[in-house]
Each structure stands twice: as structure tokens, then as C-alpha cells.
Amino acid sequence: MGRKRSMMSDSLKEEIAKELGFYDKVEKDGWGGISGRDAGNMVKRAIQMAEEQMVNNQQ
């Protein structure tokens, strides 16, 4: 069974990981090395960024 393709670009994932402070772990262990909590925080931040962009586009 194959892995699902990511909905986020690699550059966005890197940006969020740097912002949240665990990009060093990604560099060392790859994306599979992050915790479930870190992954969840990435998703929350990506949603927040998308919502902010939607608000800005409506103005």
C-alpha cells in the first residue's frame, strides 16, 4: 500500500517546521522522525495560514 501524496508543498512544510522550532529534527531524521504532536501542530498552523490568506483575499 503506497503512501498518500502530501497536500502541502515541501517548502511550506519546511517554513512551518522552522517557525515551530523542530526543523532541525526534520533535517536529522526526515519527516518520519517528527512526533505526532509536531505533525498536528503543523496542520493547525497550515490551516491558520490558509484562513488568514482567505481573509486577506476578501479585503
Side-chain angles (χ1 to χ4, degrees), residues 8-29:
M8 283 191 270
S9 69
D10 287 340
S11 60
L12 178 60
K13 290 191 294 189
E14 290 171 8
E15 176 186 336
I16 293 171
K18 288 175 184 175
E19 182 179 321
L20 297 177
F22 59 85
Y23 186 68
D24 56 328
K25 194 183 307 182
V26 173
E27 287 185 309
K28 181 181 172 202
D29 302 326

Side-chain angles (χ1 to χ4, degrees), residues 20-57:
L20 297 177
F22 59 85
Y23 186 68
D24 56 328
K25 194 183 307 182
V26 173
E27 287 185 309
K28 181 181 172 202
D29 302 326
W31 290 108
I34 66 172
S35 69
R37 176 174 283 177
D38 287 339
N41 287 336
M42 279 186 67
V43 171
K44 286 179 191 176
R45 180 62 183 129
I47 291 169
Q48 182 182 31
M49 291 169 76
E51 288 174 343
E52 289 169 0
Q53 187 175 16
M54 286 174 42
V55 168
N56 289 337
N57 287 341

